[in-house]
Amino acid sequence: MSKKKENVLICVAHRDDETLGCGGIIQRHFLNKDNVYCCSMTDGVSSRSEKDLDLKKKKRISNSIKASKILGFKWIDVPEKFPDNQLDKVALLEIIKVIEKIKKKIKPTIIYTHNPGDLNIDHRIVTDAVMTAFRPEAKENWKKIIAFEIPSSTDYSYYDEDKIFVPNYILNIEKFWKKKKMAIEAYGSEIKKYPNSRSIKGIYNLAKIRGVQNGVELAEAFKILKEIKR
């Protein structure tokens, strides 16, 4: 009996979060022949500078398409693009409605999103919107909502009990690291120099730490926010 394909949705605040947080597991889903989709709620650049803004937006999208081809997922266009690093100025209901439209269109069975305790405000709001859009009502078909960690946001958060990322789901990414690294590099200037945690070496070191914590060479760590056996 053949395994039924999963419809996977990765809902992020910015294009590159998907690769940084779960590039390995995306590649695994792709190799398992699952359908993998990603949506980003902001343009990811408008909070930085108004100079050459349109060019920077196009470049970010172009880089994200390169990353998607490397890892094996499809971008879902979000026409209602919200302001970067200013999602707290948008009514949460508006973001929820966008996610609900995507949910209705692709009917995901597994959803990945941000850790609810990340330092970045956009990350936290996207997670709140995802949890609301996928509230566990009758006749739902999704199975899991899973949070990933983002270097320079999850690790930068304040260390209180509600915000610490404590993973309970680990994926060995030894076979997937090469593709993840290629996809990270596709984002160019978004990647910083070492010793920043958002550097190639920093991201690799995080994978090493998560690996040795769990008896493997390299790993991605996740936290299951909700799982329902239907």
Side-chain angles (χ1 to χ4, degrees):
M1 184 176 178
S2 61
K3 175 184 172 291
K4 185 178 179 181
K5 289 183 181 180
E6 303 285 1
N7 279 353
V8 179
L9 174 64
I10 301 147
C11 191
V12 298
H14 319 99
R15 291 183 183 234
D16 77 353
D17 290 334
E18 79 297 330
T19 297
L20 295 168
C22 56
I25 212 162
I26 290 173
Q27 175 70 181
R28 182 174 184 265
H29 279 298
F30 171 74
L31 293 175
N32 285 346
K33 302 188 185 304
D34 295 328
N35 303 308
V36 187
Y37 305 92
C38 188
C39 61
S40 170
M41 294 297 111
T42 77
D43 58 52
V45 296
S46 57
S47 66
R48 300 174 186 177
S49 171
E50 293 184 1
K51 187 178 179 181
D52 299 324
L53 186 56
D54 287 341
L55 182 63
K56 289 175 182 176
K57 287 180 181 179
K58 289 177 182 178
K59 183 67 174 176
R60 188 68 169 264
I61 291 171
S62 173
N63 290 346
S64 72
I65 292 171
K66 290 177 185 176
S68 71
K69 290 178 179 178
I70 291 166
L71 293 175
F73 69 91
K74 296 178 181 178
W75 282 103
I76 297 174
D77 185 48
V78 178
E80 304 91 338
K81 279 292 182 187
F82 299 111
D84 177 45
N85 275 304
Q86 298 180 72
L87 285 184
D88 53 330
K89 295 182 179 180
V90 178
L92 183 62
L93 182 59
E94 289 186 46
I95 304 168
I96 293 167
K97 286 181 176 179
V98 170
I99 297 171
E100 285 179 331
K101 287 180 183 177
I102 295 168
K103 170 188 172 182
K104 186 176 181 181
K105 180 179 180 180
I106 72 169
K107 298 178 174 59
T109 52
I110 300 173
I111 303 99
Y112 294 92
T113 192
H114 294 285
N115 173 52
D118 278 8
L119 181 64
N120 188 286
I121 185 67
D122 289 352
H123 292 191
R124 299 199 302 272
I125 290 172
V126 167
T127 303
D128 287 345
V130 166
M131 296 303 292
T132 306
F134 289 93
R135 49 199 178 275
E137 296 180 335
K139 298 182 180 179
E140 292 285 341
N141 73 315
W142 60 267
K143 304 172 185 177
K144 296 179 185 179
I145 302 175
I146 303 169
F148 47 74
E149 58 182 336
I150 297 287
S152 78
S153 185
T154 309
D155 51 338
Y156 286 5
S157 189
Y158 301 103
Y159 287 93
D160 62 40
E161 290 183 5
D162 295 331
K163 294 184 177 181
I164 296 175
F165 180 79
V166 182
N168 55 16
Y169 176 27
I170 305 298
L171 174 70
N172 182 341
I173 64 165
E174 292 174 52
K175 295 184 293 185
F176 313 130
W177 169 252
K178 184 177 179 181
K179 287 281 189 177
K180 176 168 178 167
K181 181 174 180 286
M182 288 171 61
I184 293 169
E185 290 171 337
Y187 279 104
S189 61
E190 294 302 313
I191 309 308
K192 298 186 177 182
K193 293 182 179 180
Y194 187 79
N196 286 292
S197 62
R198 189 188 279 254
S199 61
I200 294 292
K201 187 175 179 180
I203 297 163
Y204 179 80
N205 287 346
L206 176 61
K208 288 287 286 186
I209 290 169
R210 292 308 188 193
V212 299
Q213 286 174 340
N214 296 280
V216 299
E217 286 289 332
L218 299 170
E220 283 179 343
F222 303 89
K223 185 173 183 179
I224 298 174
L225 301 180
K226 191 87 173 182
E227 181 174 11
I228 302 176
K229 298 289 185 182
R230 301 187 187 277

